[in-house]
Every structure is written in structure tokens, then in C-alpha cells.
Amino acid sequence: RGGGGPHQLFAILLIIQAGVLVDCFTTPSSLRSNIGTIHGPKTIANTAGLTTSPSHLPSSVHLKQYGRLSKSMMKMTSTPALNNGEIPDSNDNSSSATTTTTTTGKRPSFPVVLWRFTRPHTLIGSALAIPAIHMLAAPTYSEVFTLKTLASIIFASIPALFMNLYITGLNQITDVDIDRINKPDLPIAAGHLSLPTAKAIVIFSGIFSLAMGLSHPFLSTNGLSVALWASFILGTMYSLPPIRFKRFHLLAAFCIIAVRGAVINAGFYAHAQAAAFGGGAGTTVIGCLLSDTRCALSSLFFSVFGFVIALMKDVPDVKGDKESNIKTMPVRYGQHRIFGSVRRLLTVSFLSIGIGFLKGAANAPSQVLTTCRTILGVSSVLAGYSVRKEAVSVDPEDSKQVYKYYMHLWKLFYASYLVLPFAR
């Protein structure tokens, strides 16, 4: 129950290279050329039982056949090509959104495309983390509900969300070829967002986030600056050549662990202590990690959770990663082995925390602490059970099943932040 303030470390502005601006991928030229060569007008007519000779008039049967063929041809030409002109399986859920919008001749509106470009599941995680960390850092619950705390939360949340967009957007820009195989429904891979537009969004988001983090004389704390700059540097090094840490499984895992664990939790904890709860300008990330048990333990737990998410994310992406020579851990050691290992790691983490807090509830000095620890303990045990139960029916080599399980872990990630304020 110590005080203190957290946050992160890292600074150095990396250059965002503009590169050659590539046009959007909305026109599958390879597919169109294939259709033109294989199915010329005369070939289509002959296939349907019709000839171009005026002496041979089409019967009603011929017309029906031709109608069905025309519809199938229209569907082919409006479906985005993936790799080497292949057509996505119509039963593939990963490409269903793209197929639906293009076959009807409609494109998603720009706000919808932008929302998908943010990778909403990561954006929601960041949006939940900052208020929860403020509540955890508060000396008492009553101090949470003040204008000062609200201002601190809002001022930290806006640049944090833009930084989240910078990191996830940059990853999509540098992974277009991989995403066409693994995630063809992402906006750039699906042809709904051009590379020049995506680059403009990413550059603006990064600059705006860093600038806002430094813009206020009192709310621009050391913790906030460390969180934003560390996220910026590690996110850039993760995706952008020539460094591109994601090529190396240990360095890739380190980036995600650092950002999702120490950077976000310790950084915004330190920011909350300094901006909302009287910690002052001397509150540092290192100081909070070393002197505040709540800060240290929450950072450790979310570092483990970040590691699990980092590895589980790669399990369904083995095909594209192999073709692009990205040596992720599932590529190196196998999908079954990694899936089972990270599932067990997260289960043990939840159960350990749950048992620890339930024991602490029995010895709590007040009824309030007993209630808080009981809520957190029971929630953690249930989460651990859920991690194991949902994994039973998952085939690690089935991308759809693994991705569904991966999103289930994100829901537990959100739930962990919702109960984090009860960690007393």
C-alpha cells in the first residue's frame, strides 16, 4: 500500500521513412488479367452453351446457365486477390467482411475503415488501462472521484490512444504482404485503405501523441513522457526496417512485454501519482517500481499477460510468417507446443494471484479490504479456469479456432483491468 509513481524509460526519435507511396490495393489486376485470358467473351458464351452465331438463338435453359455463370464471374471479379491471384474461400470468415462489401459494389465508409485500422481490441485495452491504473494508484477510493483525477486520466488517455494507433498502423503498413495471407480483411490488405493515406494517419498519430504529451506544464509528467516515448521507440523498432525486431522471436516478445507490461502500467502509475495524487515532479517510473508493491506486481502480471498475447498472436499466423521468413516462436517450435505452453503459463498466473488474494482476504484488517481482495481473488480463479476450459476444444493448427481463443484472451485482459482497482 505504498505510495510512489511509475513509468517508463526510453527516448530517441526514430525517423519514419516516407518510402515510395504505393497506390491502394482495391483493383486486383492479377485477377482481372487471369479472368480476361481464361474467360474471354467467346469462351464464356461457349461455356454456357451459346455461340456467337446469330443462327443459334439461346434457349431458356441456356439463359439460366448463362445467368448463373455471369453471377459467379461478377463475384470473382469483385473479390480481392490474396496471394498469386488466389480467391479467398467463400466460407472463410477472415475474408467474409471484404467479400460482402465488394460483391455488393459498396466500400466501407472511411470512419469504419479507420476504426478497423486502429485494431480495436488493442485500442480498448489501452482505454481501459489508464482509468484502472489511476484507481490503483489512488491512496483512497474517494480521491479517484475528483476533477484533478479526471483531468489526469483524459490528458493521458488521448495521446496514449493516438500512440496505440501509431504502433498498430505502422505494423500494418510494413506487413502488407504477410497480412494478405494471414489477415486479408485488414484495411490495407483488403484494399480499403491506400498506403499513402495509411502513412499519413500513422505519421500524424505519432507526432500528435508525442507533442501532446509534452504540451502541459503540470500534466506532462515524467511518467507520461516515458510511457509515450518508450512505446514510440519500441513500436517503431518492432515493425520498421532495417531494425524490425519482429523478425527475431525473443526481441519481438521483449517489445510487447515491455510495452504491455512495464511501460503502460508503471508509466501511467507514475503519471497518476504525480498529476493526480500529489506525488510531484520527482515521481519517477523506476522509483514506483522499486518502492510501490502495487505498481511492481501489476506491472509483472501484465508483462506475463503481454508475453502470452504476443505468442498467441503468432500461432494462427504461421503460414504467412513462414513465407515471409519471419521466425516467430510458433514457426520455430511448432503451434501445439507454443499454444500449450502459453495457455499453462496464463492459467498458473491467474490461479496464483487468485489464491494469494483469497488468503489475503482472510487476514485483511478491514471489511473493505476483505471485500476487495475477495472480488479480485474469485475473479482471478474464474479467469484461470476460463483460460483452461476454452482451450480444450481448440486445434492449434486451425487458424480460426486459435484466433477465436486469442480474442477470448483479450476479453480476459479487459476484465483484468476492470478488477485491478480492487488490488489492495
Side-chain angles (χ1 to χ4, degrees):
R1 303 183 60 184
H7 225 51
Q8 326 327 81
L9 26 139
F10 296 96
I12 297 175
L13 182 37
L14 301 191
I15 301 173
I16 306 173
Q17 51 189 26
V20 179
L21 299 183
V22 181
D23 205 352
C24 62
F25 294 86
T26 52
T27 308
S29 55
S30 59
L31 175 60
R32 214 172 41 244
S33 61
N34 289 341
I35 294 169
T37 346
I38 300 172
H39 304 287
K42 186 172 181 178
T43 309
I44 294 174
N46 291 336
T47 305
L50 302 174
T51 69
T52 54
S53 170
S55 61
H56 186 89
L57 297 177
S59 65
S60 59
V61 174
H62 291 150
L63 289 173
K64 289 179 181 178
Q65 292 173 337
Y66 185 77
R68 287 194 295 268
L69 181 59
S70 299
K71 289 180 180 178
S72 65
M73 290 299 297
M74 288 179 67
K75 183 174 181 179
M76 288 176 64
T77 56
S78 60
T79 304
L82 296 185
N83 193 35
N84 300 324
E86 293 177 346
I87 307 298
D89 185 351
S90 59
N91 295 321
D92 189 345
N93 291 334
S94 65
S95 60
S96 60
T98 303
T99 304
T100 301
T101 57
T102 52
T103 51
T104 58
K106 296 180 180 178
R107 291 166 56 85
S109 63
F110 182 74
V112 172
V113 172
L114 182 60
W115 174 244
R116 293 175 183 171
F117 186 60
T118 65
R119 303 297 278 149
H121 60 282
T122 66
L123 200 70
I124 293 170
S126 299
L128 290 174
I130 295 172
I133 292 170
H134 273 72
M135 294 184 72
L136 178 69
T140 63
Y141 287 127
S142 61
E143 293 184 57
V144 173
F145 305 101
T146 65
L147 291 177
K148 190 176 182 181
T149 302
L150 179 62
S152 176
I153 291 173
I154 294 174
F155 189 80
S157 296
I158 294 174
L161 295 179
F162 273 93
M163 184 55 66
N164 192 99
L165 174 53
Y166 167 79
I167 293 172
T168 56
L170 181 62
N171 189 52
Q172 291 174 70
I173 289 172
T174 57
D175 277 3
V176 175
D177 291 335
I178 301 174
D179 289 340
R180 287 179 190 160
I181 300 170
N182 292 335
K183 302 180 182 76
D185 57 329
L186 291 181
I188 302 177
H192 297 154
L193 186 66
S194 68
L195 274 177
T197 303
K199 288 179 179 180
I201 293 170
V202 165
I203 292 172
F204 171 80
S205 298
I207 293 174
F208 179 83
S209 174
L210 295 175
M212 183 174 178
L214 298 171
S215 65
H216 197 279
F218 304 112
L219 296 177
S220 297
T221 63
N222 170 266
L224 179 59
S225 296
V226 170
L228 296 177
W229 278 93
S231 298
F232 173 77
I233 293 169
L234 291 175
T236 303
M237 295 172 73
Y238 177 84
S239 297
L240 198 66
I243 301 175
R244 198 161 164 75
F245 278 172
K246 74 172 298 173
R247 295 175 298 165
F248 313 102
H249 60 286
L250 292 179
L251 291 174
F254 165 75
C255 286
I256 297 178
I257 291 169
V259 172
R260 282 291 166 194
V263 169
I264 288 180
N265 289 276
F268 289 113
Y269 192 100
H271 167 74
Q273 288 281 346
F277 307 122
T283 304
T284 64
V285 175
I286 297 297
C288 289
L289 284 171
L290 295 178
S291 63
D292 195 306
T293 304
R294 282 180 289 176
C295 176
L297 291 181
S298 64
S299 297
L300 176 62
F301 171 76
F302 283 103
S303 293
V304 173
F305 213 144
F307 179 70
V308 169
I309 285 177
L311 296 187
M312 193 63 71
K313 175 182 70 69
D314 292 332
V315 172
D317 292 345
V318 165
K319 182 180 178 182
D321 290 338
K322 279 183 178 178
E323 292 191 14
S324 301
N325 199 31
I326 303 295
K327 301 297 184 181
T328 62
M329 292 187 75
V331 170
R332 286 175 174 269
Y333 304 111
Q335 292 162 286
H336 284 270
R337 186 175 180 181
I338 297 301
F339 181 88
S341 297
V342 297
R343 187 264 299 167
R344 286 189 288 272
L345 175 61
L346 189 58
T347 301
V348 170
S349 298
F350 271 123
L351 293 179
S352 299
I353 289 174
I355 293 171
F357 272 93
L358 288 175
K359 285 184 176 180
N363 303 317
S366 69
Q367 186 61 43
V368 172
L369 285 179
T370 299
T371 303
C372 289
R373 293 174 183 177
T374 301
I375 291 173
L376 186 59
V378 172
S379 300
S380 298
V381 170
L382 292 176
Y385 172 75
S386 176
V387 170
R388 191 175 189 283
K389 177 178 176 295
E390 294 295 323
V392 171
S393 60
V394 176
D395 177 5
E397 295 185 4
D398 187 316
S399 295
K400 294 179 185 176
Q401 291 184 17
V402 176
Y403 184 75
K404 183 179 179 182
Y405 182 72
Y406 168 72
M407 295 309 298
H408 175 71
L409 296 187
W410 271 101
K411 293 175 184 176
L412 295 179
F413 188 81
Y414 305 152
S416 298
Y417 273 117
L418 291 177
V419 299
L420 182 63
F422 295 106
R424 297 278 168 170

